[in-house]
Amino acid sequence: MNRYTLVYDSGCGPCARFRSCVEFLDVGRRICYLGLDDADRTGRLDRVPPARRHRSFHLVSAEGRTWSGAEALPPLAELLPAGKLLSSALAGCPPVTFLANFAYSALSRLHDSASCGYRPELPSA
């Protein structure tokens, strides 16, 4: 079975609650979960620019395809029970897409204002 990886900020309360909700809904256990620090160390986010890693959650396929933030919502929804319909609406219905992007943007601001644990390593001088 091809498993996907949900990469999230494990030191951020809203991010950890999002992960818990997804895990609860993932009755087929198609998704595994990885904190940002571990994803950085293992190279799972090498395709994501370092400045963007902290700003959103990421969904990574077994083949390495990576979706970030609101763009990851349709493929994430598709992995959940009855998610094909929701995924289609998220990807192809402009009002639903707008509402999902708006909601994600609002939740992202919670992440940015929270005391999150992820701190990207700065290159040494």
Side-chain angles (χ1 to χ4, degrees):
M1 170 171 61
N2 287 343
R3 293 195 63 177
Y4 288 76
T5 303
L6 179 79
V7 179
Y8 69 104
D9 186 346
S10 58
C12 170
C15 300
R17 283 190 290 282
F18 173 73
R19 178 234 192 245
S20 294
C21 289
V22 171
E23 184 175 27
F24 175 78
L25 295 171
D26 181 26
V27 296
R29 301 296 175 238
R30 298 177 70 188
I31 305 168
C32 51
Y33 306 90
L34 191 62
L36 285 168
D37 289 328
D38 291 333
D40 270 342
R41 275 194 292 277
T42 61
R44 291 294 282 167
L45 293 179
D46 284 351
R47 295 181 181 183
V48 178
R52 187 159 186 208
R53 292 177 192 175
H54 175 66
R55 298 202 49 84
S56 57
F57 82 96
H58 312 279
L59 184 66
V60 184
S61 73
E63 298 80 27
R65 179 159 182 207
T66 303
W67 300 267
S68 298
E71 76 176 3
L73 293 175
L76 177 62
E78 192 168 330
L79 296 171
L80 303 174
K84 288 210 184 277
L85 180 62
L86 178 58
S87 177
S88 295
L90 286 168
C93 180
V96 175
T97 302
F98 173 80
L99 288 173
N101 287 338
F102 178 79
Y104 184 79
S105 175
L107 292 173
S108 291
R109 284 191 297 274
L110 283 177
H111 168 81
D112 290 341
S113 67
S115 173
C116 297
Y118 176 72
R119 301 288 177 256
E121 291 183 27
L122 298 174
S124 54

